[in-house]
Amino acid sequence: MLAVGASAAALVALAGPAWSQSASSTLIEELVVTAEKREQSLQDVPVAISAFTSEQRDIVGINTVQDLTNFTPGFVYQSSNDRASMRGIGRLTNVHSVDGAVSIYIDSLFTTSTVLAGGPPLDVDRVEILRGPQGTLYGRNAIGGTVNVISRRPTEDFYAEVRAIAENYSFTNLQAAVSGPINDKLRFRFSGYKLDQRKGYFTNIAGGPSEGSKRDEYQAQFQIEADLGENADLWVSYKTLVWHNRGGPGARSGYLGDRYETGRTDPNFSIVYNSAHAFSPETGLNGIVPGSLRTVGTGINTNPALDDSRDFQTNIPQRVRLRDVNSLTTNFVYHLPTVDIRYVGGIQEYKYDLYGDTDATNVLSYQIPLAPGSVCGNVAALFAAGRSTVNCSPLTVNANNGYHYFEYPTWFSHEINISSTHDGPLQWIVGAFYYNEEYTGTGSTADFFLVGPSSLQTPVLGAAPNPQNFWSTGNYSLTTRSKAVFGQVDWQATETLKITGGLRYTKDKKFGTEFRRIVCNSDACYPGLYAALGLGSLGPGTAANYGSLLGNLSALPAVGQAFGLGNALAPLGALGNGAFDLTDTLAPKSTAGLIEGVKTPSVCVSGVCRQYVIGPNGVASRDLSDTSSAVTGTAGIQWDPDPDTMAYARYSRGYKAFGFSAGGFLAVPKADKETVNSYEIGLKKNFGRALQVNVAAFYLDYRDLQAPVAVRVGATNVTQFVNIAKSESYGVELSTIWQPTEALRLSLDYGYNPTNIKKSSLLVDVNDNVNTGAVSVVGNALPQAPEHKLALNGLYTFNMDAGKLTFGATYLYRSKSYANVFERQYNAAPSWDQVDLRAIWQPEDDKYTVIAYVKNVFDTEGYAAAVAASQRNNNPLVPSDQFRNGARNYELTPPRLYGIELQYRF
């Protein structure tokens, strides 16, 4: 909460760290935070914090988590996947069985979703971002840092406000809140918003709907606050949220920066034919049958993003659906004379579904040419001559390829802490924490399927039917439980010296079941099948040879008779007509004992052991279970030589629980726990009344990073988590405010953060089509860790009799960063910068506020985070199918946005 101060100073508050008043009184307002679970002036907390009040966010224009990162050194957020990183330590996957490294707390309740930290200023009182491991008071995987979101609470007096925002791209956001007393002991607050964006940032040139931040969503929150006698306080909040979007996490936010990979099979999903092969410039056997291409709408045969990065063409629009969102949070405090007893608990759940186009094209189907002398061609000739009972034609490829990604979690947590409230030199807090999450979702990618009839529905050799047309499905149901006890002591040893020590013990358990099925319908699997059936003399098991008879084993007796083989192929007639199930072939097997983390009993035949079962539905399953634990803590010293100076030194140890590559059905499903030792020194200093400088220098000794690395499993790519033995992250973070007058305020937030991997085993980069062997990643940067981040802001306020008019300008810069541990240009987000402008009118009576703004004034391409390349072919036999490296992907920040906001208070 803001301390009472001059209204002019409050108006020009900057969204960077808010700074405390010294005894000499400054122009820069004080901010009280609860970063260490007790109210303190931000300037007195001996850790690196960035804090943003709702007023500050309005003034500067911080509306999303991505905006928060712009003004927070070391903080990076990948909007498309809802992943946060701090100082090079962060979430690198959406697999919930691998935890995030930046913990998110909303009103002290842990949540798994970072996007909620960007809630509207009308609902959010402030956001506190603690950089570096918070392994004592915030132990739920706070190895990188913590984001605390504190809601606006019910008021003792009646209050109501409405806000309306209109923006280009047909954007509207209507917000409202009402708050006040029910009686002298009971207060309420109700708030909500309805947000619509009817035009997306990206245009589908094939005629489908625009995408990218196209949104249709609403939120409602109801709060009750009660005084239960003289010593007890109760606060309860219920929130619900609904999305029907083509924007938000998971939706389109970037583009493919290279031409289509037009090989017949794409290494990313070679178990089905590549839809983009329809656009191959090759003719003859390496092309398609002339005139066979079918697409949805209009389009072009090249990637439209090469001409305009915001153009695309697909036949399956992306769709985001968020439903059944329920969040109930309770805070209860009992005040004793020198102690507070606090309970924080709640339950949250949601269902998130994402649908989209796997191949990113508008292709529906095409035909594969037949080779000279092919089985299919000969059968067709014999059929035309009346000598065959079956016919054959070029294979028609169903290229209508989609995916479904889903997350269905429910979790609850309880925390009880007891803290001192007296004025003595020894302050302390102790507590206990319990967390339980039940989660069902897809693995590292999604469930992939074809739309419409295909041979995938009827696998051969007696495999179970596949009516949903899945060619790759991998999902899991998992329970995560975390228990912890913690305590911290602050001792004011002298008038100027404070010593801090804290410890936490955490134990995590994860257990559940993963499921996997792979069904193949391409030249990647049939050749081996036909050879195993003894049909090698008839040529390869490919579409060019078998055409429309590919996979139709039931037709082989008739083919044998047409070829004059009599009944030689008759025994094969009962094998079916369809695709080839690879589930058991690709499932991990062991000859060296049990697989760590897998609890399904092992069944061994001829020395080969299987720790999985295949059910009657054709899906393989196995049970996973394991535990990890850690002792973490902090130790620090704080020196306050005068009211305007605070210096500190701090050691913290952080921990993140082990993880599973659940849904991938891998030979090594488990990644060990991560730890970090953090060393930080800092200075928070006022120079006179108008200049404030905060600086922190840090070094992170990071062990066993859980790095996602794509591995090849047969004809598929699956994400495997490996532990990078040792890494380091270090740097300097500087935040300054200079306010020479009440009217003018300038600020700078800068982060310098070099990172590198110090020790690791050799790893294979599947996106590298030149060097396909294992390579060293030692010396490479950590993922999502730009070396430089800069935010400059200037505000000038004209004070008039009628009110105040403030003009603001912001300059942002971010240097290059990489998506994964392979420091390659095709995994990089280039450096970028941006300019924003803002004007705010506030009349003297403060009844209303008008804000006009332009973000990204020069419409430059910014990169929210780095995205890994897509693996591509390097086929020496086909000139158009040669990609020296993987195809680059880019996640873009929004284009130029301009709009107006009206706030009215009753």
Side-chain angles (χ1 to χ4, degrees), residues 465-479:
N466 181 28
Q468 294 177 296
N469 251 345
F470 287 123
W471 51 266
S472 176
T473 181
N475 47 66
Y476 60 97
S477 296
L478 197 81
T479 298

Side-chain angles (χ1 to χ4, degrees), residues 68 146 293 468 472 494 507 511 536 589 607 663 682 690 741 818 903:
L68 289 170
T146 297
L293 172 62
Q468 294 177 296
S472 176
T494 71
K507 185 172 183 178
F511 59 94
K589 302 163 184 68
T741 69
Y818 296 91
Q903 305 173 2

Side-chain angles (χ1 to χ4, degrees), residues 565-781:
L565 301 178
N567 291 322
L569 303 185
L572 304 178
L575 298 183
N577 175 13
F580 186 33
D581 194 316
L582 292 176
T583 306
D584 185 62
T585 302
L586 298 181
K589 302 163 184 68
S590 174
T591 58
L594 300 178
I595 299 174
E596 184 178 5
V598 179
K599 301 305 177 183
T600 299
S602 179
V603 177
C604 302
V605 178
S606 301
V608 177
C609 301
R610 291 171 166 81
Q611 278 187 267
Y612 60 89
V613 295
I614 297 181
N617 60 354
V619 177
S621 64
R622 64 178 181 180
D623 295 333
L624 304 173
S625 181
D626 218 324
T627 62
S628 67
S629 62
V631 175
T632 56
T634 188
I637 186 168
Q638 178 179 336
W639 181 49
D640 298 271
D642 61 65
D644 291 320
T645 306
M646 191 273 279
Y648 67 91
R650 192 95 171 206
Y651 163 80
S652 298
R653 181 169 175 83
Y655 150 80
K656 189 176 88 171
F658 77 99
F660 284 123
S661 304
F665 233 76
L666 295 168
V668 183
K670 180 188 171 186
D672 291 331
K673 66 182 181 182
E674 295 180 1
T675 59
V676 66
N677 293 304
S678 170
Y679 307 88
E680 180 173 312
I681 58 174
L683 175 70
K684 298 184 179 182
K685 174 69 175 176
N686 290 339
F687 294 91
R689 299 180 63 248
L691 177 63
Q692 202 158 67
V693 177
N694 280 19
V695 62
F698 62 91
Y699 178 82
L700 305 180
D701 176 15
Y702 189 20
R703 304 297 178 103
D704 295 319
L705 158 66
Q706 297 165 0
V709 178
V711 294
R712 195 75 173 160
V713 179
T716 63
N717 287 339
V718 184
T719 298
Q720 168 77 63
F721 291 91
V722 300
N723 287 104
I724 303 295
K726 182 177 180 180
S727 307
E728 66 178 9
S729 172
Y730 58 94
V732 177
E733 296 166 346
L734 175 66
S735 295
T736 67
I737 296 177
W738 180 41
Q739 190 164 351
T741 69
E742 286 193 2
L744 177 64
R745 180 161 176 155
L746 304 172
S747 78
L748 178 150
D749 290 281
Y750 171 71
Y752 172 64
N753 185 198
T755 63
N756 69 86
I757 296 170
K758 302 289 288 184
K759 183 179 179 181
S760 173
S761 59
L762 299 179
L763 301 174
V764 176
D765 180 3
V766 297
N767 292 321
D768 189 341
N769 296 305
V770 178
N771 180 8
T772 57
V775 298
S776 173
V777 296
V778 173
N780 290 357

Side-chain angles (χ1 to χ4, degrees), residues 816-898:
K816 179 189 296 184
S817 62
Y818 296 91
N820 56 31
V821 295
F822 299 103
E823 193 175 292
R824 308 296 179 86
Q825 190 60 36
Y826 50 79
N827 292 328
S831 61
W832 59 274
D833 61 1
Q834 179 176 310
V835 173
D836 299 339
L837 298 176
R838 204 162 179 86
I840 304 100
W841 166 252
Q842 189 173 26
E844 188 65 29
D845 62 5
D846 197 32
K847 274 288 188 180
Y848 67 91
T849 301
V850 180
I851 303 173
Y853 59 90
V854 183
K855 302 182 77 168
N856 193 5
V857 173
F858 300 107
D859 201 20
T860 58
E861 286 197 350
Y863 305 93
V867 183
S870 298
Q871 203 246 339
R872 293 294 187 248
N873 277 343
N874 189 32
N875 188 342
L877 302 178
V878 182
S880 65
D881 192 20
Q882 295 176 10
F883 291 76
R884 301 296 292 173
N885 292 113
R888 299 165 296 172
N889 288 282
Y890 297 106
E891 179 184 341
L892 297 178
T893 56
R896 181 191 297 117
L897 302 178
Y898 52 87

